[in-house]
Amino acid sequence: PKQEVMTSVLMIGTGEYTTGFVYGKPSNSDKGAGVVALTMFDLRRRGKVNRLGLCGVNGNKFPGIRKHMKNVIADVYLGLDISVETYPADDVVDPKSYTTAIDNFPKG
């Protein structure tokens, strides 16, 4: 039998479509929980992906994004793991953080 290879996913961008978090607060739209990250968390639960990364420019946003995702995803979809590697670090602003993130993920 063919062995299935797990896929790693690096999400570039931390805004409304990815996380549902914009301008320091939850989006006031039909995408309040985001679309991309929620889908990736579900795909991981289903065994389709394993490693997830989230990359932006301003790491200072990540504590708020994590709290938001806990409130609108983890607390609503019980048992859904919302852990994700973030780039850059929480106290770093780096417009080129995507290069570090890409270097830390497998090609393919």
Side-chain angles (χ1 to χ4, degrees):
K2 184 179 178 184
Q3 185 173 349
E4 190 172 322
V5 177
M6 295 294 283
T7 301
S8 296
V9 177
L10 176 60
M11 297 169 274
I12 307 289
T14 62
E16 181 176 16
Y17 276 83
T18 303
T19 67
F21 196 76
V22 292
Y23 305 115
K25 62 184 181 184
S27 171
N28 186 21
S29 76
D30 62 341
K31 291 158 208 61
V35 176
V36 179
L38 174 59
T39 301
M40 291 302 111
F41 298 143
D42 183 58
L43 287 173
R44 180 171 55 197
R45 181 183 60 81
R46 295 169 186 252
K48 301 298 183 187
V49 301
N50 59 352
R51 185 174 171 206
L52 297 175
L54 182 60
C55 181
V57 170
N58 187 348
N60 295 302
K61 294 179 181 181
F62 286 128
I65 289 170
R66 285 188 203 96
K67 181 179 178 186
H68 168 70
M69 289 193 304
K70 180 191 177 302
N71 291 339
V72 300
I73 297 175
D75 291 349
V76 175
Y77 303 94
L78 299 179
L80 199 58
D81 175 12
I82 60 166
S83 63
V84 63
E85 297 171 41
T86 53
Y87 299 88
D90 287 5
D91 60 347
V92 174
V93 175
D94 180 6
K96 296 198 179 242
S97 65
Y98 65 92
T99 61
T100 301
I102 289 169
D103 288 344
N104 282 289
F105 271 73
K107 295 179 181 179

